[in-house]
Amino acid sequence: MTHYIPEDLPSSIQHFINGKFVDSVGGETFDVLDPVSNTSYVTAAAGQKADIDLAVAAAKHAFQHGPWPRMMPRQRSRVLHTIADLVESRGQRLAELETFDTGLPITQSLGQANRAAENFRFFADLIVAQSDDTYKVPGRQVNYVNRKPIGVAGLITPWNTPFMLESWKLAPALATGNTVVLKPAEFTPLSASLWAEIFREAGVPDGVFNLVNGLGEEAGDALVKHPDVPLISFTGESRTGQIIFGNAAPFLKGLSMELGGKSPAVVFADADIEAALDATVFGVFSLNGERCTAGSRILVERSIYDDFVARYAERAKNIVVGDPHDPATEVGALVHPEHYDKVMSYVEIGKTEARLVAGGGRPEGLETGNYVSPTVFADVSPDARIFQEEIFGPVVAITPFDTDEEALELANNTRYGLAAYIWTNNLKRAHNFSQSVEAGMVWLNSNNVRDLRTPFGGVKASGLGHEGGYRSIDFYTDQQAVHITLGEAHSPRFGTSK
Ligand code: NAD
């Protein structure tokens, strides 16, 4: 296979602090691999505590003295719309870089670039329409909410759909007038630097957006432990979330955590099976299976089970795995050899735990690069590791059930609770099941199609707090209650009895 390399790749990846691209103070770097050749194509600055200190100081200064938090919402909204325009106009280039860095199929990277623009447009609109509560106590008081940006927001993001997930945090944090320090994932730092140019062109003042690349245990850790960063919005693994939770505790920081998942897709016999098949195949194999909301456990009613498994396996075998830059590709290369090894180890574990009906290793003809055949295991028991643990690759577990009660028990039988997908045409069952399933988000008769106004987040080990729509605005702002006395102040008169 020819290895496609985008033109004009940067010769190095730097931090962006106070409006300038800079190296690490101590000159530290790390190598970045592309997932097709697994060779290092660039070195990136590896941020340390000293670099985080500089970025936080710049962000703090911009927050305390700069114009950004003081602008009219309409002014900030205009800048955010310009950012959305720029992201849209550079969609091709962005997608090309993202695909090169992550191994995601190009058609899907393009979709993610558009979604990133949409996130900015959405919050640009929301802040100008924002209203806050006022409460009247007739003749006595008027009380109102004075909503304020909080300060320097620390944003820590993962490597799956990096640019889109960064937009997801950047847009509401900036829309509400905060300043930010972004620490993107070390596997995929390429597209994050594009934000710096886009923001500068759109008119974001220096110091408002700061970017520090580096490893989680170094740059990420220093950001979490910085006393001048009151907020951390984190997306990543549940285990990392626990560490960050502990490290942020002494500072009592505001935390928003979007963590791992092992989401069920439950297919009842009365469902539109063709539609369920399309959605459940797409739901686990899109984005290379590196998707937090992947429906990676499919629970199927016994009467349609054998037929469903056979048809599902057939579809999985036909999925086009190949060069991420080829528009025909449906599953590309996994992000990094370490992640590839992890996914492959689960494929081997699965072979000892369940019946392999499709995939099970490296696809023929793709001898190098992080390629995994779409892999389907059937008859997976609920105590199997491939039923319980997040694999985050193109691997799915299918399990039969007999009754609604059993389906619910199986659906809820993991530590995670991010998403659930329910397939049935029975109205009562659809609502009762949706309301009982332990998941932050439920889709009925649909794959993951999200309205940006709805809450996004998980329960159990899948997250803490919800972002999405005005909930993101709530996370990135303080709601100060101001109480105004209209009449006499009625205070009990202490100290007047002698
Ligand atoms: P990860 O937890 O390994 O890393 C995420 C980020 O945290 C990276 O930037 C990393 O450098 C940083 N980090 C690591 N250790 C840190 C530490 N001690 N202190 C501060 N920062 C640290 O996750 P990943 O492998 O990059 O991403 C995959 C995971 O993300 C999966 O579990 C997936 O389900 C989850 N995810 C969740 C959502 C969601 O919305 N719920 C969305 C996408 C991905």
Side-chain angles (χ1 to χ4, degrees):
M1 190 200 300
T2 52
H3 181 212
Y4 178 84
I5 300 175
E7 281 174 21
D8 303 325
L9 280 179
S11 54
S12 65
I13 294 177
Q14 295 180 291
H15 311 306
F16 185 75
I17 298 176
N18 209 17
K20 290 188 183 63
F21 282 104
V22 292
D23 291 325
S24 289
V25 173
E28 297 86 351
T29 59
F30 64 99
D31 284 335
V32 187
L33 310 184
D34 83 77
V36 169
S37 74
N38 277 330
T39 53
S40 164
Y41 72 88
V42 76
T43 55
Q48 311 292 314
K49 184 176 175 303
D51 306 294
I52 290 288
D53 285 349
L54 289 176
V56 173
K60 187 177 174 187
H61 188 268
F63 185 76
Q64 289 183 333
H65 307 290
W68 190 252
R70 289 155 199 90
M71 281 184 185
M72 292 290 126
R74 170 58 75 199
Q75 277 177 291
R76 275 203 304 270
S77 170
R78 283 207 179 99
V79 175
L80 296 183
H81 273 298
T82 309
I83 292 169
D85 292 341
L86 289 167
V87 170
E88 257 168 23
S89 68
R90 289 170 199 181
Q92 284 290 348
R93 171 75 176 159
L94 245 161
E96 179 184 70
L97 294 181
E98 194 80 321
T99 283
F100 179 72
D101 207 20
T102 62
L104 290 176
I106 185 74
T107 49
Q108 299 172 31
S109 291
L110 261 174
Q112 297 297 323
N114 290 337
R115 188 68 165 179
E118 200 49 44
N119 280 335
F120 271 89
R121 244 181 244 304
F122 175 83
F123 285 104
D125 290 342
L126 199 57
I127 47 159
V128 288
Q130 171 79 37
S131 65
D132 280 307
D133 296 330
T134 310
Y135 307 91
K136 187 170 96 171
V137 186
R140 297 189 187 172
Q141 271 189 335
V142 172
N143 308 317
Y144 68 90
V145 170
N146 172 35
R147 194 182 282 272
K148 302 192 276 193
I150 295 176
V152 180
L155 314 178
I156 303 178
T157 49
W159 47 257
N160 67 319
T161 64
F163 193 79
M164 196 289 287
L165 282 172
E166 289 150 19
S167 76
W168 166 264
K169 297 180 191 305
L170 287 166
L174 294 175
T176 43
N178 296 283
T179 59
V180 304
V181 177
L182 169 67
K183 207 302 279 171
E186 55 268 42
F187 283 177
T188 55
L190 183 57
S191 56
S193 329
L194 299 182
W195 288 118
E197 288 149 25
I198 289 170
F199 288 162
R200 190 152 52 189
E201 255 179 86
V204 175
D206 289 352
V208 171
F209 166 76
N210 303 276
L211 165 73
V212 178
N213 289 293
L215 310 188
E217 296 73 15
E218 296 172 357
D221 186 69
L223 186 56
V224 169
K225 292 177 179 164
H226 200 296
D228 290 339
V229 178
L231 284 181
I232 297 287
S233 177
F234 168 75
T235 299
E237 283 186 22
S238 300
R239 177 72 200 119
T240 317
Q242 285 175 315
I243 295 169
I244 291 179
F245 197 93
N247 288 340
F251 303 94
L252 299 172
K253 296 193 181 206
L255 289 176
S256 169
M257 300 223 163
E258 306 287 3
L259 308 177
K262 190 78 185 180
S263 301
V266 187
V267 185
F268 287 94
D270 66 23
D272 176 343
I273 303 300
E274 200 59 38
L277 208 56
D278 287 347
T280 52
V281 170
F282 179 81
V284 78
F285 297 120
S286 53
L287 305 179
N288 296 345
E290 298 162 326
R291 180 178 201 138
C292 55
T293 51
S296 51
R297 292 181 298 138
I298 308 182
L299 312 175
V300 183
E301 193 164 357
R302 179 97 51 193
S303 60
I304 56 162
Y305 181 75
D306 289 340
D307 181 52
F308 187 92
V309 169
R311 292 177 68 191
Y312 195 96
E314 204 48 44
R315 291 283 284 272
K317 287 177 194 162
N318 285 334
I319 286 175
V320 181
V321 184
D323 179 357
H325 291 278
D326 184 339
T329 292
E330 292 170 324
V331 169
L334 301 192
V335 68
H336 192 276
E338 270 172 34
H339 185 58
Y340 175 81
D341 289 345
K342 176 188 153 183
V343 172
M344 278 301 201
S345 78
Y346 275 107
V347 170
E348 293 310 314
I349 291 167
K351 289 178 186 170
T352 68
E353 291 181 325
R355 179 163 61 99
L356 178 71
V357 293
R362 182 180 271 285
E364 266 179 44
L366 295 170
E367 305 313 332
T368 56
N370 306 321
Y371 294 104
V372 178
S373 292
T375 296
V376 184
F377 289 106
D379 312 344
V380 182
S381 86
D383 56 6
R385 286 186 63 191
I386 59 165
F387 189 96
Q388 292 293 339
E389 298 173 22
E390 185 183 45
I391 300 173
F392 219 57
V395 182
V396 68
I398 313 186
T399 304
F401 68 84
D402 289 299
T403 61
D404 289 36
E405 293 71 31
E406 193 194 354
L408 184 63
E409 204 181 299
L410 285 169
N412 289 343
N413 183 357
T414 70
R415 62 195 285 254
Y416 295 108
L418 192 57
Y421 307 86
I422 319 294
W423 289 87
T424 176
N425 278 315
N426 177 326
L427 196 62
K428 271 194 193 166
R429 166 186 279 158
H431 287 287
N432 286 324
F433 202 101
S434 300
Q435 292 181 20
S436 311
V437 74
E438 292 166 359
M441 296 164 285
V442 180
W443 278 270
L444 269 171
N445 298 325
S446 162
N447 76 66
N448 173 345
V449 177
R450 198 173 150 262
D451 174 339
L452 288 179
R453 292 168 299 180
T454 57
F456 186 102
V459 297
K460 300 181 0 191
S462 289
L464 181 76
H466 283 74
E467 295 198 39
Y470 66 79
R471 292 159 197 86
S472 298
I473 303 275
D474 282 350
F475 176 70
Y476 290 106
T477 54
D478 273 331
Q479 295 183 57
Q480 180 188 51
V482 180
H483 306 86
I484 304 149
T485 305
L486 296 177
E488 294 292 308
H490 294 291
S491 304
R493 303 198 66 218
F494 277 27
T496 55
S497 57
K498 277 195 198 155

